[in-house]
Amino acid sequence: MYKYNVESAETLANEAQALPIAKATPIYEQLLQLFPTAAKFWKQYVEAHMAVNNDDGIKQIFSRCLLNCLQVPLWRCYIRFIRKVNDKKGTEGQEETIKAFEFMLNYVGADITSGPLWMEYISFLKSLPLQPVHEQEESYQMTVIRKVYQRAIITPNHQIEQLWKDYENFENSVSRQLAKGLIYEYQPKYNSARAVYRERKKYFDEIDWNMLAVPPTGSNKEEMQWMAWKRLLSFEKGNPQRIDTPSSNKQVIFTYEQCLMYMYHYPDVWYEYATWHAKGGLIDAAVKVFQRSLKALPDSEMLRYAYAELEESRGAIQAAKKIHENALGNGDNATALAHIQFIRFLRRTEGVEAAKKYFLDARKSSTCSYHVYVAYASVAFCLDKDPKMAHNVLEDGLKHFMHEPVYILEYADFLTRLNDDRNIRALFERALSSLPSEKSVEVWKRFIQFEQTYGNPASMLKVEQRRKKAFGEDATAASEGSLQDVVSRYSFMDLWPCSSNDLDHLSRREWLAKNLNKKVDMPIIPNGTTLTDKGSVANISNMSSKIVYPDTSKMLVYDPKQNAFDEILKATPPALVAFLASLPTVYGPTPNVDIVLSICLQNDLPIGQSGKTVIQSQLPGGPAPATSELSDSKHCGKRKELDTQEDDETTSLQSQPPPRDAFRIRQFLKARANSTSQTGSVSYGSALSGDLSGSTGR
């Protein structure tokens, strides 16, 4: 069962609220082990302890969650507890409460929902008893309240407008003369904060603040939330309020910390947060983020190596070495990649002998794969400039990994660099004698490529024939070869001795040749017999038992009323429907629309429902109904008469606006001009030209 089940977690949390604290505690601990950044679960947990006045338990819970859960409701719960504890301690308690308020605002005072926190703090300061001995002490208290107000009104939050009104009232109540100057000074800052609040709220509203942190599953909701956080982070990094750099950085840090409450299992967010610190020169802060990320995602090798890279880049070699050693574990469960990266690290930081010593130990491990041999051979050859050592390593690995075709190819590549053609041939022969055919495909291919480079036509043909025999091809065909073999022999990189069409043709012919002797089912015509053999009808019944038929019980009866095309026809004028119905059925390619239109305009007119010939033109002045008795020779003479009748008789169709495309207009004009000169019939092009020139076209 998936342990990060959000619905089950919510159900457990609701059940725990109704249980005594002794029974609820194990449930909360179980939930918070899975969801350590779920502020709402922490809040429920601490409120359960507050209900029974377990102050020690409350303090312990707050120490575990506050700094990792920067959510206002949880922090308001904290300040409520602090005020309760210090309520009866007099002046000392008041000072402790003020410190708690400042502590809280330092962490979550920049939150867009922090308005109530500022208001509560100001209200608390105003509620302190005023029994001053000197006037100067009263002035000091007013100064403290003023400073809190001034911090609040430049913090973009939901209550910023109310805070500004309260601040104006406060200043006017203290001194109207002083209020004018202070309000004038802070008005631009307030306006800027209010504008930023409105922009920030757009990003804020896209985020689901009740979401629990779970490993990414690729769901659409998760991706949308990830994008919403990215947009908010990008907005904050742009310093929209144009404040000083330390304050801007603090806002970005706060946003990242809030983001990690919900994207806790996303390594890319941790990495981006750490690198943002590093780019700003805050390496120690970046290190702390990486350390936290590995506690959150202990199995993330990506974050581990990114952390080691940061430490190594700043010269902390021992710290980086410790990270690599932690990746190795006790050695028995270390991955091949961990071995390889540690070898490379030792070669960079401690030299040749340290890397060699570790390799000799690592090859005895049960987790040492051929990758480790290839990696160390590469280090010896490329970095140590020691081809003999590299050759010895690869030769030693051949004893253990002769069955691995990838290792064979890597070894062959190394020998190719040495231009050692004799040992390359020997390697291929040794490998192909032991590899099964299903694993030897790439090795044969590389062997042929090698012969094409180092061999002669005779050796190339010999290897090609051996390869075909190894894969069970016909002996005669293997000895004859094919034109594709010639193409393979005489191509180079992306250069081919034939065109792409020739290559496709050859590939098709090769496939047909391979299936030449295989039985190919012949197509069956509708009466149930094959196209070539009437005697094969009897086999159809045998074949039918192998056919998988569709489940007709789930098929739907076709309903013409549901056809969208029928709905379109209902809205189509009847005369146009009649015209479309009279068109012959066309099989084959789609004809050119312009040519069809020009031909239709020169042919006989369709008969409408009223028994009269109806012409629909897509041009102004086009509709001109006439009786079916009119012949083509009378069209010109009847034109004026028809034009006087069109308002009365043409009721079924409306004219369409003329085409706007100049090229289409010229096509129509040209088609109609040709039609007029050949048949003497009335041209719709004349009507079109008349419309464009502002005349009647007659």
Side-chain angles (χ1 to χ4, degrees), residues 354-381:
K356 179 180 179 181
K357 183 177 182 298
Y358 181 78
F359 168 71
L360 295 176
D361 293 336
R363 66 176 184 164
K364 301 174 184 177
S365 172
S366 59
T367 59
C368 181
S369 67
Y370 69 85
H371 306 82
V372 180
Y373 280 81
V374 173
Y376 182 67
S378 178
V379 168
F381 182 63

Short mmCIF file of all heavy atoms in Angstrom, two decimals, residues 354-381:
data_model
loop_
_atom_site.label_atom_id
_atom_site.label_comp_id
_atom_site.label_asym_id
_atom_site.label_seq_id
_atom_site.Cartn_x
_atom_site.Cartn_y
_atom_site.Cartn_z
N ALA A 354 46.34 6.63 -4.63
CA ALA A 354 45.12 6.51 -3.83
C ALA A 354 43.99 5.91 -4.66
O ALA A 354 43.25 5.04 -4.19
CB ALA A 354 44.72 7.88 -3.30
N ALA A 355 43.87 6.35 -5.90
CA ALA A 355 42.83 5.81 -6.77
C ALA A 355 43.09 4.34 -7.09
O ALA A 355 42.17 3.51 -7.08
CB ALA A 355 42.75 6.62 -8.06
N LYS A 356 44.35 4.00 -7.34
CA LYS A 356 44.70 2.62 -7.66
C LYS A 356 44.43 1.71 -6.48
O LYS A 356 43.88 0.61 -6.63
CB LYS A 356 46.18 2.55 -8.05
CG LYS A 356 46.67 1.15 -8.38
CD LYS A 356 48.14 1.18 -8.76
CE LYS A 356 48.65 -0.23 -9.06
NZ LYS A 356 50.09 -0.22 -9.41
N LYS A 357 44.79 2.16 -5.30
CA LYS A 357 44.59 1.36 -4.09
C LYS A 357 43.11 1.07 -3.86
O LYS A 357 42.71 -0.05 -3.53
CB LYS A 357 45.18 2.08 -2.88
CG LYS A 357 45.10 1.31 -1.57
CD LYS A 357 45.76 2.07 -0.45
CE LYS A 357 45.72 1.27 0.85
NZ LYS A 357 44.33 1.01 1.30
N TYR A 358 42.29 2.10 -4.05
CA TYR A 358 40.86 1.87 -3.83
C TYR A 358 40.29 0.94 -4.88
O TYR A 358 39.44 0.10 -4.57
CB TYR A 358 40.09 3.20 -3.83
CG TYR A 358 38.62 2.96 -3.57
CD1 TYR A 358 38.18 2.72 -2.28
CD2 TYR A 358 37.70 2.92 -4.60
CE1 TYR A 358 36.84 2.45 -2.02
CE2 TYR A 358 36.36 2.66 -4.37
CZ TYR A 358 35.94 2.42 -3.07
OH TYR A 358 34.62 2.14 -2.82
N PHE A 359 40.74 1.06 -6.13
CA PHE A 359 40.23 0.17 -7.17
C PHE A 359 40.55 -1.28 -6.85
O PHE A 359 39.69 -2.17 -7.03
CB PHE A 359 40.82 0.54 -8.53
CG PHE A 359 40.57 -0.49 -9.58
CD1 PHE A 359 39.31 -0.70 -10.11
CD2 PHE A 359 41.61 -1.31 -10.04
CE1 PHE A 359 39.08 -1.67 -11.07
CE2 PHE A 359 41.39 -2.28 -11.00
CZ PHE A 359 40.11 -2.46 -11.51
N LEU A 360 41.76 -1.53 -6.40
CA LEU A 360 42.13 -2.91 -6.06
C LEU A 360 41.26 -3.48 -4.96
O LEU A 360 40.96 -4.68 -4.94
CB LEU A 360 43.61 -2.96 -5.65
CG LEU A 360 44.61 -2.61 -6.77
CD1 LEU A 360 46.03 -2.58 -6.22
CD2 LEU A 360 44.49 -3.60 -7.92
N ASP A 361 40.82 -2.62 -4.04
CA ASP A 361 39.90 -3.08 -2.99
C ASP A 361 38.47 -3.21 -3.52
O ASP A 361 37.76 -4.15 -3.17
CB ASP A 361 39.92 -2.10 -1.81
CG ASP A 361 41.26 -2.09 -1.07
OD1 ASP A 361 41.98 -3.11 -1.16
OD2 ASP A 361 41.58 -1.06 -0.45
N ALA A 362 38.07 -2.27 -4.36
CA ALA A 362 36.68 -2.26 -4.85
C ALA A 362 36.38 -3.44 -5.75
O ALA A 362 35.26 -3.95 -5.76
CB ALA A 362 36.41 -0.96 -5.60
N ARG A 363 37.36 -3.91 -6.50
CA ARG A 363 37.09 -5.02 -7.43
C ARG A 363 36.78 -6.32 -6.69
O ARG A 363 36.26 -7.26 -7.29
CB ARG A 363 38.28 -5.23 -8.36
CG ARG A 363 39.54 -5.70 -7.69
CD ARG A 363 40.63 -5.97 -8.68
NE ARG A 363 41.82 -6.52 -8.06
CZ ARG A 363 42.80 -7.12 -8.72
NH1 ARG A 363 42.72 -7.23 -10.03
NH2 ARG A 363 43.84 -7.60 -8.10
N LYS A 364 37.08 -6.36 -5.39
CA LYS A 364 36.75 -7.54 -4.59
C LYS A 364 35.31 -7.50 -4.07
O LYS A 364 34.82 -8.49 -3.56
CB LYS A 364 37.71 -7.65 -3.40
CG LYS A 364 39.17 -7.75 -3.79
CD LYS A 364 40.07 -7.71 -2.57
CE LYS A 364 41.55 -7.71 -2.96
NZ LYS A 364 42.44 -7.59 -1.78
N SER A 365 34.68 -6.35 -4.21
CA SER A 365 33.32 -6.19 -3.71
C SER A 365 32.33 -6.94 -4.59
O SER A 365 32.52 -7.06 -5.81
CB SER A 365 32.95 -4.71 -3.66
OG SER A 365 31.58 -4.53 -3.35
N SER A 366 31.27 -7.41 -3.96
CA SER A 366 30.24 -8.13 -4.73
C SER A 366 29.45 -7.19 -5.63
O SER A 366 28.77 -7.64 -6.56
CB SER A 366 29.28 -8.83 -3.76
OG SER A 366 28.66 -7.88 -2.90
N THR A 367 29.51 -5.90 -5.36
CA THR A 367 28.77 -4.93 -6.17
C THR A 367 29.62 -4.33 -7.28
O THR A 367 29.17 -3.40 -7.95
CB THR A 367 28.23 -3.80 -5.28
OG1 THR A 367 29.33 -3.15 -4.63
CG2 THR A 367 27.26 -4.33 -4.24
N CYS A 368 30.83 -4.82 -7.44
CA CYS A 368 31.72 -4.29 -8.48
C CYS A 368 31.32 -4.88 -9.83
O CYS A 368 31.44 -6.08 -10.06
CB CYS A 368 33.17 -4.63 -8.15
SG CYS A 368 34.34 -4.00 -9.37
N SER A 369 30.87 -4.04 -10.72
CA SER A 369 30.46 -4.47 -12.05
C SER A 369 31.54 -4.11 -13.06
O SER A 369 32.56 -3.51 -12.72
CB SER A 369 29.13 -3.80 -12.44
OG SER A 369 29.31 -2.41 -12.59
N TYR A 370 31.28 -4.45 -14.32
CA TYR A 370 32.27 -4.14 -15.37
C TYR A 370 32.45 -2.64 -15.55
O TYR A 370 33.48 -2.19 -16.05
CB TYR A 370 31.86 -4.80 -16.69
CG TYR A 370 30.63 -4.22 -17.33
CD1 TYR A 370 30.70 -3.11 -18.16
CD2 TYR A 370 29.38 -4.80 -17.14
CE1 TYR A 370 29.57 -2.58 -18.76
CE2 TYR A 370 28.25 -4.29 -17.73
CZ TYR A 370 28.34 -3.18 -18.54
OH TYR A 370 27.22 -2.66 -19.14
N HIS A 371 31.45 -1.87 -15.11
CA HIS A 371 31.58 -0.42 -15.23
C HIS A 371 32.78 0.11 -14.45
O HIS A 371 33.46 1.05 -14.90
CB HIS A 371 30.31 0.27 -14.70
CG HIS A 371 29.04 -0.21 -15.33
ND1 HIS A 371 28.40 -1.36 -14.91
CD2 HIS A 371 28.29 0.31 -16.34
CE1 HIS A 371 27.30 -1.52 -15.63
NE2 HIS A 371 27.22 -0.54 -16.52
N VAL A 372 33.05 -0.50 -13.30
CA VAL A 372 34.17 -0.05 -12.47
C VAL A 372 35.49 -0.29 -13.20
O VAL A 372 36.39 0.56 -13.18
CB VAL A 372 34.14 -0.76 -11.11
CG1 VAL A 372 35.32 -0.30 -10.24
CG2 VAL A 372 32.82 -0.50 -10.39
N TYR A 373 35.62 -1.44 -13.85
CA TYR A 373 36.85 -1.75 -14.61
C TYR A 373 37.03 -0.76 -15.75
O TYR A 373 38.13 -0.24 -15.98
CB TYR A 373 36.77 -3.18 -15.15
CG TYR A 373 37.12 -4.24 -14.13
CD1 TYR A 373 36.18 -4.67 -13.21
CD2 TYR A 373 38.39 -4.80 -14.09
CE1 TYR A 373 36.49 -5.64 -12.27
CE2 TYR A 373 38.72 -5.79 -13.16
CZ TYR A 373 37.76 -6.20 -12.25
OH TYR A 373 38.08 -7.15 -11.32
N VAL A 374 35.95 -0.51 -16.47
CA VAL A 374 36.04 0.43 -17.60
C VAL A 374 36.39 1.83 -17.11
O VAL A 374 37.23 2.52 -17.71
CB VAL A 374 34.71 0.45 -18.38
CG1 VAL A 374 34.73 1.53 -19.45
CG2 VAL A 374 34.43 -0.91 -19.01
N ALA A 375 35.78 2.24 -15.99
CA ALA A 375 36.03 3.58 -15.46
C ALA A 375 37.48 3.73 -15.02
O ALA A 375 38.13 4.74 -15.33
CB ALA A 375 35.09 3.87 -14.30
N TYR A 376 38.00 2.74 -14.29
CA TYR A 376 39.38 2.88 -13.82
C TYR A 376 40.37 2.80 -14.98
O TYR A 376 41.39 3.50 -15.00
CB TYR A 376 39.72 1.83 -12.77
CG TYR A 376 41.13 2.01 -12.25
CD1 TYR A 376 41.47 3.12 -11.48
CD2 TYR A 376 42.13 1.10 -12.57
CE1 TYR A 376 42.76 3.32 -11.03
CE2 TYR A 376 43.43 1.28 -12.13
CZ TYR A 376 43.74 2.39 -11.36
OH TYR A 376 45.02 2.60 -10.92
N ALA A 377 40.09 1.95 -15.96
CA ALA A 377 40.95 1.88 -17.14
C ALA A 377 40.97 3.22 -17.87
O ALA A 377 42.02 3.66 -18.36
CB ALA A 377 40.47 0.78 -18.08
N SER A 378 39.83 3.88 -17.92
CA SER A 378 39.77 5.20 -18.54
C SER A 378 40.60 6.22 -17.77
O SER A 378 41.29 7.04 -18.36
CB SER A 378 38.30 5.66 -18.62
OG SER A 378 38.20 6.95 -19.16
N VAL A 379 40.54 6.14 -16.43
CA VAL A 379 41.34 7.04 -15.61
C VAL A 379 42.83 6.79 -15.85
O VAL A 379 43.62 7.73 -16.02
CB VAL A 379 40.99 6.85 -14.12
CG1 VAL A 379 42.02 7.55 -13.23
CG2 VAL A 379 39.59 7.37 -13.83
N ALA A 380 43.22 5.52 -15.88
CA ALA A 380 44.63 5.19 -16.07
C ALA A 380 45.12 5.62 -17.45
O ALA A 380 46.25 6.12 -17.60
CB ALA A 380 44.83 3.69 -15.89
N PHE A 381 44.29 5.48 -18.45
CA PHE A 381 44.70 5.78 -19.82
C PHE A 381 44.69 7.29 -20.10
O PHE A 381 45.64 7.84 -20.65
CB PHE A 381 43.79 5.06 -20.80
CG PHE A 381 44.15 5.27 -22.24
CD1 PHE A 381 45.37 4.85 -22.75
CD2 PHE A 381 43.27 5.90 -23.10
CE1 PHE A 381 45.70 5.05 -24.08
CE2 PHE A 381 43.58 6.11 -24.43
CZ PHE A 381 44.81 5.68 -24.92
#
